[in-house]
Amino acid sequence: GLGVKSHLKQWYQRRVREHYYYTNNLRLKMQNDKGEIVDLYIPRKCSITNRIISAKDHASVQINIGELDDNGTLTGKNFTFASCGFVREMGEADDSFNKLCSDAKILQF
């Protein structure tokens, strides 16, 4: 019979082949209804520093501010601002959001 090491080696090689097969097939199946290839993850960009926010940046936030008409009802449009954890860690996020809102004419001083 085969030794324990040989069994483990065969099992590991089989798992690697299965993993390779499944990941490659999943890549082919990331398509929309029109058959266009789409990505599952679209990275966000920090509105303050223009850095790409990584998937592991758990301190990052995104704020959506709804636009109002003259009667005070939502129009369906919104302003989206994202901040990376780096800016929040420095304590500059509140001032930066105020500047972004004033540039977008949402907030007036």
Side-chain angles (χ1 to χ4, degrees):
L2 298 172
V4 173
K5 284 187 178 181
S6 182
H7 278 302
L8 288 175
K9 186 176 179 181
Q10 287 177 355
W11 176 83
Y12 180 74
Q13 289 173 345
R14 187 170 55 245
R15 294 292 295 162
V16 168
R17 279 194 308 270
E18 289 173 358
H19 178 71
Y20 181 77
Y21 173 76
Y22 288 128
T23 55
N24 284 340
N25 283 341
L26 282 176
R27 281 193 197 121
L28 295 176
K29 292 181 183 178
M30 287 192 294
Q31 298 175 353
N32 60 10
D33 294 336
K34 297 177 185 175
E36 300 167 338
I37 296 176
V38 295
D39 289 330
L40 290 177
Y41 174 70
I42 300 172
R44 294 178 295 162
K45 202 170 187 184
C46 179
S47 302
I48 300 162
T49 62
N50 287 330
R51 292 181 178 187
I52 291 179
I53 299 174
S54 69
K56 297 292 183 181
D57 188 356
H58 298 296
S60 64
V61 294
Q62 177 173 320
I63 297 176
N64 296 325
I65 301 173
E67 184 180 23
L68 303 175
D69 62 4
D70 295 334
N71 296 329
T73 58
L74 289 172
T75 62
K77 296 180 184 177
N78 61 1
F79 297 94
T80 303
F81 301 115
S83 174
C84 60
F86 170 73
V87 175
R88 296 187 65 215
E89 186 177 317
M90 291 189 323
E92 297 293 328
D94 53 347
D95 291 334
S96 300
F97 277 124
N98 285 340
K99 184 178 179 342
L100 288 171
C101 289
S102 67
D103 290 347
K105 304 216 183 329
I106 300 171
L107 184 65
Q108 297 174 357
F109 294 105

